[in-house]
Amino acid sequence: MRWSPLARKECRTIITSKGAWLLVPLIILWGFRPTYAGWGALHQNITVGYVQIGASFLLPLGTMLLGYQSLVSERTSGSIKFLLALPLTRTHILLGKTIGRFVGVGAITLVSFLLLAVIGIIEHGIFSVLLYLGVVIATLILVADFIAIAVAISAVTKRTVTAATSIVGVFLILLGWQSIVRNLYSAFTGVQISPYNPPADGPFFLLLRLTPDAAYNVLTNWLLGVGNSAELFHFVYMQIQPSSQINAYVVDTTFQPGTVPWYLHPALSIVILLAWLILPLSLARVLFNRGDAL
């Protein structure tokens, strides 16, 4: 636990930042989206669906922006020399930075979702507490993933502008991931994909859910019981309706019963989320311990 004082310092850095608390109203405004489709899918539990929506777009971006300066700022200011002089291994430093930033951002995230829950109760009535807790826990894992990515980038870059550019690049890849997968699939197979009529191809659907946010949507849609998809819950519900067709990739409407590959089971999205937590930090640990980017 030698890393715990450093983790407390990192947590205080986030908690005492006024800019970090701007995430609270932004997440609430982004997440609170009462729609007929959302109500049709979840009824009173639409409040839990607001958590899933609130975890999209702004939360990943905000989390990475609050994490990317953790080590690169120490490097650019020169204070990393004092940090390395402490009785801490570089692994401890990486661990303390990650855990501290996660606790700080996680606390802000929890406040956001508690306020969303209060608004939901006022607007729609009581919802399933167990379902709410399950989705919130999944969201905290997502936050941990993006903190891990941000700290890993911070650990292996020499300049703040490089780290910031890398964060923006990662975010843009996440935004365009569906298009990237669709284009790569078409380039390798020669099959042009229509989002309104996608092929019942297991590898294609697996690629769609390999990002942290997509795996999170798969997991939370499973918990919400709306369908097997990396889309937001209300889009999944709309796609499943017989009289509706939108450009959403949903396993339930694409594959025939009994033909869904085992690796598309929603539970395996937990493995993807854990991989995004472990792999970036493992790579950063190797490079950081070697002294690269110092």
Side-chain angles (χ1 to χ4, degrees), residues 80-102:
I80 195 169
K81 297 177 181 179
F82 300 100
L83 188 62
L84 293 173
L86 295 173
L88 296 171
T89 66
R90 294 186 181 189
T91 301
H92 288 148
I93 292 172
L94 197 61
L95 191 62
K97 291 280 186 179
T98 303
I99 293 177
R101 297 265 167 164
F102 164 69

Side-chain angles (χ1 to χ4, degrees), residues 209-229:
R209 59 185 64 197
L210 287 184
T211 60
D213 54 332
Y216 166 80
N217 285 347
V218 172
L219 176 59
T220 51
N221 284 334
W222 184 39
L223 294 175
L224 293 170
V226 296
N228 186 348
S229 175

Side-chain angles (χ1 to χ4, degrees), residues 269-281:
S269 57
I270 299 173
V271 177
I272 298 173
L273 286 170
L274 294 178
W276 277 104
L277 177 62
I278 296 169
L279 293 179
L281 290 177

Side-chain angles (χ1 to χ4, degrees), residues 75-198:
R75 186 176 296 110
T76 55
S77 67
S79 60
I80 195 169
K81 297 177 181 179
F82 300 100
L83 188 62
L84 293 173
L86 295 173
L88 296 171
T89 66
R90 294 186 181 189
T91 301
H92 288 148
I93 292 172
L94 197 61
L95 191 62
K97 291 280 186 179
T98 303
I99 293 177
R101 297 265 167 164
F102 164 69
V103 173
V105 177
I108 292 172
T109 302
L110 286 176
V111 171
S112 305
F113 292 154
L114 284 174
L115 292 175
L116 262 179
V118 172
I119 295 171
I121 290 174
I122 294 172
E123 291 292 322
H124 310 298
I126 301 298
F127 53 83
S128 169
V129 175
L130 287 179
L131 184 58
Y132 173 82
L133 290 176
V135 174
V136 167
I137 290 171
T139 308
L140 290 178
I141 297 174
L142 181 70
V143 169
D145 283 354
F146 284 112
I147 286 291
I149 292 170
V151 173
I153 290 173
S154 188
V156 300
T157 50
K158 296 181 180 180
R159 299 165 54 196
T160 302
V161 65
T162 305
T165 302
S166 300
I167 291 297
V168 173
V170 169
F171 185 68
L172 290 177
I173 290 173
L174 294 177
L175 281 182
W177 184 246
Q178 281 193 4
S179 297
I180 293 170
V181 171
R182 188 168 62 245
N183 291 333
L184 286 175
Y185 183 88
S186 297
F188 279 99
T189 64
V191 177
Q192 295 299 316
I193 294 179
S194 168
Y196 294 95
N197 187 28

